Every structure is written in C-alpha cells, then in structure tokens.
Amino acid sequence: MEFFLSQLQGFGGAFSALVTDPITYPYIIISVFLGIVFGALPGLTATLAVTILTGFFGNKIPLDYALIALLGAYVGAIYGGSYPSILLNIPGTAASAATAMDGHPLAKQGRGAEALGLTTTGSFVGTLIGTAALLVFVWALLLISQSIASPEKALLALFGILLSGTLMSEDLVVKGWIAGLAGLAMVGLDPLLSEPRYTFGWSYLMSGFQVVPVLMGAFAIPQIIEGLRQVDPGKLIALKGRILPNLAAVRRHMPTIARSGVIGTGVGALPGVGEDVAGWVSYGVGKSASHDGKNFGKGSIEGLLSSETANNACIGGALIPLLVLGIPGSPPAAALMGAFKLNNIIPGPTIDPSIILRVCAIMVLASLTMFIMGLFTARVFIQILRLPQTVFLPVVLILTTIGSFSVGGGINDLYLMLGVGALAYFMNLMRYPIAPLVIGVILGGLFDETFRRSLLLSDGDLSGFFTRPTAAVLLALNVALIAGQMPVVRRAFAKMRKR
C-alpha cells in the first residue's frame, strides 16, 4: 500500500508541476491537434507525426517540452485515425483498421456522431488505463531489469526484432525477419574496440546510421509516394446528431472499455508489436466474449470500442519496454526512443525515475486534451478530411526534409533519408514490413554491444546464453518463435490438435 501511495504522490508532484507551467499548454494543444490531423489524414501515420516532431524538437528545446510535443502527437494521432475509419471507411492509421469494421457501418446508419463520441470516450479511458499500468508496473520491472546482464539484453533485443517481424508480416514471416535482421547492419565504429566497420571511407558513417534520417526515410517517403499515387479520397459521410456521448451508453459499455484497455496495454508491452495488433486482438476477443458477436462488422458499438480503446491503451503499454529495457513496444515508440537518444538519455534500468513520472503526467494531460478536442472540435477535423492528398503530402515532404536536415545540420542526413526511403518503398512493393527494419536499426546497437561483450567476458564461450536461468528462458523464447513458423512444426501441431 505504501508503494502505491508513494507512486501517487510522485505522480501528483509531476502533474502539478506540468499544469502550473504556462508553457505546457501551447505545446500540448498544438501537438495533440497536429497528432489528430496526422491520424485523420489518410496516408499519414502516428509514427510519421512523432518522427517529424522528433526532427524539429528532439534536441532543440528542453526535454520536458520535447516529451510534451512528442507524446501529445502520439496520443492524438492514434485517436485521429478513427475519423476516416468511421466516415470514409479508410483507416487513417494502421491502428484504426479494426475501427472501420463497425465504425463505417454505424456512420452509414446515420450514427456517425454517436460513433465518434463513444470512440473519443473509449480512447480517453484506454489511454488512462495504459498510463496507470505504466505508472504501476514499470517500477517492478525496473527492479527486475537491474539484474539483467549482457546475455539477457542481447537475447531481448533479438526477441523484439523477431517478434516484430513475425507479427507485422503480411504474408511470409521470413520477410519480416529479413527486414528486422537487415536493420542490424553493424555500421560505424565498433562500440568495444573502436574499429571502423563498413564505412567505406565515408566519415559520416563512423557513428553508424543516424536514427532520425532513418525514421524519416523509412516511414515518410513510402507513405508520401503511395499517397500521391492513390488520390481518390473516398466519399465522406455527413455527420448527423450530437457528438457528446450518452452517459448511460458509456456506463453500459464500460466493461468492454475496461477489458479492451487491459488487452491493449498487454499487447503494447510486447516489444515491437504496435497499436494495430492491439486493435485486432481486442476486436477478436470482444467478438468472442460478446453476447452480440454476430453483429460485429455490421455496426456494433462493442466492436468499435474494443478496437479503439485498445489501440490507445497500447500507447502506455508500448512505453513500458521502452523505459524499462530500451526496447520500443511499437513503431511510434521507436521514434520516441530517437528523441531520447538525441538528448543523450539511455532508456533502461539506469533511467532517471523522474522522467517516468513526467511521462505519465504528460500522458494524462494529453489524453484529457484529446478528449476535449475530440468532443468539441470534431467538426473541424472532419473538414480537414476534405483536403486532397496532392495538397498536404508535398507539405509533409518539405517538413520531413527540414526535420531530417535540422538534426545533424548536414547534407549527408538527407542522402541517408533518401536512400532509406527508396529502400523502404521497394520493400513495400515486395510486401516486406518496414517497422521491423527500423526496430532492427534502433536495437542493432544494443544487440551488437551486449552480444559481443558477453563473448569477450567469457573468452568466446557461448554457454552463458543457456546456463544463466533468465538467458535460457529468453533463448528458448527465441527458438520457439522461429520453430513455431517452420512448416514441419506447424504441421505437427495441426495433427496434435486434430487428435
């Protein structure tokens, strides 16, 4: 009980400092607004919103205000994807793909305003559930993580890359693994021996791949090209009725909201998974648990809330592995990690506890701002949906270029951004997932350093990876993840199930 009281006291102090600082409000209002716009405009994503703001604010302003801008955009963008999902049947972000299943049928029934009101409420409550889990569980995990040594860290990084590749592949899982392991390219100075590797005489590569240009190239360039190729905005359904949710309806669906919030948080805590998986998992569980599951996909409020609550709850869950282990739980969290790196902050067991409290306070304020904006300015965002992609995507390209250039201040950052962008575009054409590539780049340094340190300390003996209990469990998880995708193993399991 004392632990929870101390947590609440620390959070209260952080939240009080946040709300009493007048500079907080311009940052939180503008960032949440921009986040909703990025989520609402098809072709843009939450990852792109956080990435662009990282380029502009990552190391240009104090860390507190940078976190306000990035987390505000993150929360707003995940929620903003519900607008086109409901009114256009076009998911604004991948996280809102499941929302369209019931949101658009509700809009066609003339219940679009009701759907938006309940979606806003579910997203608000879901974000609070994820934040509460972050506030409570992150400390226990931090204590555990302090006993984790190099072998465990290397296996955790590898597990995050493989899991991301497994869950984000559209067809062949091996494509996700190839993308993730390609991001492990050991470029730059060796972290232990300071020997240059694969720099080809180019001094810019001595420090490895810079995170922000890689993020910009991987997430922005393919989205912009695809958006300009597909200019059909779809038919916008007119909004009828009031957006303010009915309190009786909210109370009636609170069990669905609570269950979905817990599911979203749990899925988010898995390294490298993301909000889109959380939405679909919660939607599937909701359909199985509902007494009205046959109406899912035909305009079910339960289906709508199952998806939309979970994807916002996933934000808090995705921050847990980021802050505890330095392993992002989602692609936007990977962009957020780039901001930490720009400020020379290493997430993990040694992170300053006050940063975690500030993150939780910002999340609560951002969710409250999102809730107010969603209820009272929704019609403004609906008008933004009428903007043609040929107008806003070139603007996004300019912002992406400026953001990438501003981090390092050199033309080489733009060359890297364009090179990664071209690679990511062709990977998209061949249906290779992009997120594992970026997560591989971000976790590559951790895997490289910890794996090789383990070998140096043991004189090349690999036994430490399976004689240490925690390392043995993580190694078993990696092996099981790979073996579970092998046709021979899958056929064997299928035969066992039939018996």
Side-chain angles (χ1 to χ4, degrees):
M1 191 64 177
E2 291 181 5
F3 169 77
F4 291 105
L5 290 176
S6 65
Q7 286 295 92
L8 288 175
Q9 186 178 5
F11 170 78
F15 189 76
S16 175
L18 187 68
V19 298
T20 54
D21 184 356
I23 302 178
T24 293
Y25 297 99
Y27 279 110
I28 198 71
I29 292 171
I30 293 172
S31 63
V32 172
F33 179 85
L34 288 175
I36 296 175
V37 169
F38 267 74
L41 289 173
L44 305 184
T45 64
T47 307
L48 184 56
V50 178
T51 300
I52 289 178
L53 290 182
T54 297
F56 278 93
F57 298 130
N59 59 352
K60 307 295 188 301
I61 58 177
L63 178 63
D64 284 357
Y65 300 134
L67 288 176
I68 291 171
L70 299 177
L71 290 170
Y74 190 178
V75 171
I78 296 298
Y79 159 71
S82 61
Y83 284 84
S85 293
I86 293 170
L87 300 177
L88 289 171
N89 200 27
I90 300 174
T93 63
S96 297
T99 303
M101 297 290 291
D102 289 287
H104 193 64
L106 284 167
K108 290 169 72 174
Q109 296 167 19
R111 301 170 65 191
E114 177 189 0
L116 280 176
L118 288 171
T119 290
T120 304
T121 305
S123 296
F124 170 64
V125 177
T127 306
L128 293 182
I129 292 173
T131 304
L134 173 64
L135 183 63
V136 172
F137 293 113
V138 72
W139 303 103
L141 293 173
L142 274 174
L143 290 175
I144 296 172
S145 67
Q146 288 174 359
S147 63
I148 291 177
S150 293
E152 290 84 1
K153 290 180 181 178
L155 291 169
L156 268 172
L158 182 62
F159 182 71
I161 295 168
L162 292 176
L163 185 64
S164 172
T166 301
L167 296 177
M168 294 186 179
S169 299
E170 293 182 22
D171 48 6
L172 297 175
V173 172
V174 70
K175 288 185 175 181
W177 294 346
I178 290 172
L181 295 175
L184 284 175
M186 310 304 180
V187 175
L189 287 178
D190 183 312
L192 301 179
L193 303 177
S194 298
E195 290 289 335
R197 301 175 301 181
Y198 303 110
T199 59
F200 303 102
W202 191 13
S203 60
Y204 173 72
L205 291 179
M206 295 292 281
S207 56
F209 291 130
Q210 302 301 309
V211 174
V212 173
V214 169
L215 289 168
M216 297 283 193
F219 291 121
I221 302 299
Q223 291 285 344
I224 292 169
I225 295 174
E226 283 299 318
L228 291 174
R229 289 181 61 200
Q230 302 169 3
V231 296
D232 182 14
K235 184 179 179 181
L236 185 67
I237 295 178
L239 206 62
K240 299 176 184 178
R242 71 171 199 169
I243 295 175
L244 284 171
N246 184 291
L247 292 179
V250 173
R251 284 196 300 269
R252 186 168 63 253
H253 293 291
M254 191 53 71
T256 298
I257 293 174
R259 182 192 64 234
S260 302
V262 172
I263 293 172
T265 303
V267 173
L270 296 173
V273 178
E275 291 78 14
D276 52 339
V277 176
W280 282 114
V281 169
S282 180
Y283 186 84
V285 172
K287 185 175 182 179
S288 301
S290 174
H291 298 297
D292 196 29
K294 63 180 183 298
N295 284 325
F296 273 52
K298 301 176 184 177
S300 168
I301 293 294
E302 284 187 63
L304 178 72
L305 289 173
S306 293
S307 163
E308 201 58 31
T309 303
N311 59 35
N312 268 79
C314 183
I315 299 172
L319 295 178
I320 293 175
L322 172 64
L323 296 175
V324 173
L325 301 169
I327 298 175
S330 67
L336 191 61
M337 187 171 180
F340 279 118
K341 285 191 172 183
L342 288 176
N343 285 276
N344 297 316
I345 293 173
I346 307 301
T350 59
I351 192 170
D352 184 355
S354 66
I355 293 177
I356 298 174
L357 293 173
R358 279 178 277 171
V359 166
C360 293
I362 292 167
M363 290 281 288
V364 171
L365 188 60
S367 63
L368 183 60
T369 306
M370 174 207 73
F371 183 63
I372 294 171
M373 281 188 179
L375 293 182
F376 298 104
T377 62
R379 298 183 191 276
V380 174
F381 297 116
I382 292 169
Q383 294 305 314
I384 291 174
L385 290 176
R386 302 182 187 277
L387 281 174
Q389 292 182 332
T390 50
V391 171
F392 65 78
L393 285 177
V395 175
V396 172
L397 178 60
I398 293 172
L399 293 175
T400 301
T401 305
I402 295 173
S404 183
F405 181 82
S406 66
V407 173
I411 193 68
N412 289 324
D413 290 324
L414 298 184
Y415 293 151
L416 178 60
M417 181 192 76
L418 292 174
V420 173
L423 173 65
Y425 175 70
F426 287 110
M427 286 176 66
N428 265 340
L429 291 181
M430 294 182 287
R431 301 180 71 184
Y432 281 79
I434 302 303
L437 172 72
V438 175
I439 290 173
V441 170
I442 290 176
L443 296 183
L446 174 65
F447 176 81
D448 180 22
E449 183 176 352
T450 54
F451 180 74
R452 296 187 63 246
R453 179 178 285 117
S454 300
L455 295 179
L456 282 173
L457 293 175
S458 63
D459 291 329
D461 186 4
L462 290 171
S463 63
F465 289 96
F466 49 84
T467 56
R468 296 170 60 92
T470 306
V473 171
L474 292 171
L475 180 62
L477 286 174
N478 279 285
V479 172
L481 187 62
I482 296 172
Q485 301 301 323
M486 292 181 177
V488 175
V489 177
R490 299 184 76 170
R491 283 196 296 267
F493 274 104
K495 289 179 180 178
M496 290 173 63
R497 281 197 296 267
K498 287 179 180 179
R499 292 176 186 174

